[in-house]
Amino acid sequence: MTAPLRLPDSIVVDVALGARSYDIVIGRGTLASLGERIAALRPGARVAIVTDATVGRHHLAAAESALAASRIGSEVVTVAPGEGSKSFPVFQEVCEALIKARIERSDLVVALGGGVVGDLAGFAAATVRRGLDYVQVPTTLLAQVDSSVGGKTAIDSRHGKNLIGAFHQPILVVADTELLDTLPPREFRAGYAEVAKYGLLGDAAFFARLEADWRQVFAGGPAREQAIATSCRAKAAIVSRDERETGERALLNLGHTFGHALEAAAGFSDRLLHGEAISLGMVLAFQFSARRGVTGADTAERVAYHLAAVGLPTHLLEVPGGPPAADQMMDLIAQDKKVRRGRLTFILARGIGQAFVAPDVEADEVKGFLVEKLG
Ligand SMILES: NC(=O)c1ccc[n+]([C@@H]2O[C@H](COP(=O)([O-])OP(=O)(O)OC[C@H]3O[C@@H](n4cnc5c(N)ncnc54)[C@H](O)[C@@H]3O)[C@@H](O)[C@H]2O)c1
Ligand SMILES: [Zn+2]
């Protein structure tokens, strides 16, 4: 095997949030610059790396040596891989480990992993000693384009996902696209659903570029970096205008109402990954928009065609074990979102790149649509 091509340049995307602004550094091999960047931002800081066992096996040594190269000492906290680690017991373990390692207010937490590690370590950083600074080193495509950016951190409640958390922005995100080479293809594909989401919600030209170039995005190289950077720019722009989701940030939930219901019905298991559920959810959101007459049926078909081309599920019959019934879907939607006087807030689309928040969709109309789809 030949050594991977090392591009000298990385792409830097700025998340503009006043005093809490930070850079997202994207590129192949950027992990090697982690120590230098941390030393520049927080001279003299010590570091605790939080990771999961799988990511640790692949990438911990590289992270540690990147820190050591700048003479930064690091402690490591390793959790089990999987959503189960976004729990109170594991959160407690991580907090106690950070305190035991004497991570002080002037020190740093580094979240090395996918969205699970990022959400967990970010929430621990938000609370230990009333708030520690942290750096995201996302290692899944989903984490590089979505969860590491924007400062939402959380663990799960027995009543639902992400119900216990805080807004806490990182001081830096280092997205080394080379780390994605060890990611299972199914995980990469699931993360791609969120990449396509940015085109579908607000950037028709980006979606058209993905339709043309998705093979290169999957293969790696500059098209992958560009797609990740465009995704991060889109999220950063929305977050900087609406950090705490009082309005526009809700657009990022395109496909997520239907998607979360499908995920919940599958028990948040490997049966249906988050991105796979979001692929189905986005197709349903466009089909529902078409049924309401705000966009054409051909638009919904174009969305489904592209997502199916990359190998994502786009039809409810593809849900392993079969899709839930319409009634169950409605119950799950009602649990996920507040239904106010029989009305729901939905993200709909007037076309590709033209998503909007529809604040008063009749629950009965959604149910009618699902009955048509599911029988
Ligand atoms: N905070 C936010 O804004 C936000 C946004 C979207 C999703 N999320 C959260 O993100 C989580 C999902 O994140 P995810 O999809 O990254 O899942 P994950 O963190 O569970 O990672 C998926 C799997 O891939 C493994 N893995 C990670 N990086 C790897 C690599 N480079 N090589 C090999 N294996 C690797 C992990 O060990 C895990 O088994 C959910 O908990 C979700 O709620 C948060
Ligand atoms: Zn998502």
Side-chain angles (χ1 to χ4, degrees):
M1 251 173 65
T2 52
L5 176 70
R6 288 207 174 256
L7 299 173
D9 300 322
S10 46
I11 305 172
V12 179
V13 174
D14 169 43
V15 185
L17 286 166
R20 283 168 291 109
S21 298
Y22 53 95
D23 285 345
I24 309 166
V25 184
I26 301 156
R28 255 189 124 67
T30 51
L31 180 60
S33 70
L34 182 67
E36 256 168 73
R37 291 178 193 278
I38 285 179
L41 282 169
R42 291 290 182 278
R46 291 170 59 244
V47 165
I49 302 173
V50 180
T51 191
D52 77 31
T54 304
V55 176
R57 205 167 58 239
H58 289 294
H59 303 298
L60 179 60
E64 285 176 320
S65 61
L67 294 172
S70 293
R71 291 197 206 85
I72 299 171
S74 54
E75 307 264 348
V76 180
V77 183
T78 304
V79 302
E83 185 71 26
S85 283
K86 281 174 59 175
S87 66
F88 267 117
V90 179
F91 173 68
Q92 182 179 5
E93 265 171 44
V94 172
C95 291
E96 296 291 1
L98 295 177
I99 294 163
K100 183 162 177 245
R102 295 181 198 283
I103 297 298
E104 307 279 346
R105 293 282 283 275
S106 53
D107 298 325
L108 274 178
V109 175
V110 169
L112 173 71
V116 164
V117 164
D119 280 13
L120 171 70
F123 185 46
T127 54
V128 168
R129 299 188 196 279
R130 298 193 182 82
L132 301 168
D133 286 337
Y134 75 116
V135 172
Q136 290 274 18
V137 183
T139 65
T140 63
L141 180 58
L142 177 134
Q144 295 195 349
V145 299
D146 192 355
S147 60
S148 69
V149 175
K152 277 190 182 177
T153 73
I155 58 172
D156 302 332
S157 147
R158 70 165 70 100
H159 300 288
K161 271 187 56 154
N162 298 326
L163 291 177
I164 304 140
F167 284 96
H168 187 49
Q169 300 290 345
I171 63 162
L172 170 70
V173 181
V174 175
D176 183 341
T177 55
E178 189 176 333
L179 306 189
L180 304 180
D181 292 349
T182 57
L183 195 62
R186 187 181 170 202
E187 292 284 352
F188 187 91
R189 202 181 302 121
Y192 181 85
E194 305 279 4
V195 174
K197 182 185 77 178
Y198 293 108
L200 292 175
L201 74 87
D203 189 343
F206 179 44
F207 188 75
R209 223 177 319 132
L210 290 173
E211 287 176 311
D213 293 346
W214 66 269
R215 284 183 186 78
Q216 280 112 286
V217 175
F218 277 69
R224 178 184 290 180
E225 265 95 84
Q226 286 299 340
I228 292 171
T230 303
S231 301
C232 287
R233 266 186 222 110
K235 181 157 185 184
I238 291 174
V239 166
S240 65
R241 291 191 293 261
D242 179 20
E243 186 180 6
R244 288 184 172 247
E245 196 168 324
T246 55
E248 186 189 358
R249 189 165 177 170
L251 292 177
L252 296 171
N253 296 330
L254 176 65
H256 281 60
T257 300
F258 291 124
H260 281 158
L262 292 167
E263 264 187 297
F268 295 103
S269 66
D270 286 353
R271 212 147 49 88
L272 195 64
L273 299 181
H274 174 74
E276 294 167 347
I278 294 322
S279 172
L280 287 159
M282 291 191 298
V283 172
L284 289 169
F286 272 84
Q287 289 172 340
F288 185 57
S289 301
R291 188 181 187 266
R292 296 193 111 208
V294 294
T295 192
D298 53 334
T299 307
E301 274 160 33
R302 182 175 160 197
V303 174
Y305 185 86
H306 176 60
L307 295 172
V310 310
L312 283 163
T314 55
H315 198 285
L316 286 166
L317 290 176
E318 291 174 82
V319 175
D327 277 337
Q328 193 195 349
M329 280 285 279
M330 286 311 295
D331 286 347
L332 291 165
I333 286 172
Q335 269 167 38
D336 186 47
K337 300 192 122 191
K338 282 185 203 80
V339 183
R340 286 193 200 85
R341 288 184 217 94
R343 285 159 191 268
L344 291 161
T345 297
F346 244 85
I347 312 304
L348 301 177
R350 294 192 181 88
I352 285 170
Q354 296 174 60
F356 64 98
V357 182
D360 53 0
V361 174
E362 298 275 355
D364 283 346
E365 193 188 341
V366 178
K367 186 166 176 195
F369 166 72
L370 287 172
V371 168
E372 267 172 33
K373 289 275 145 204
L374 290 157

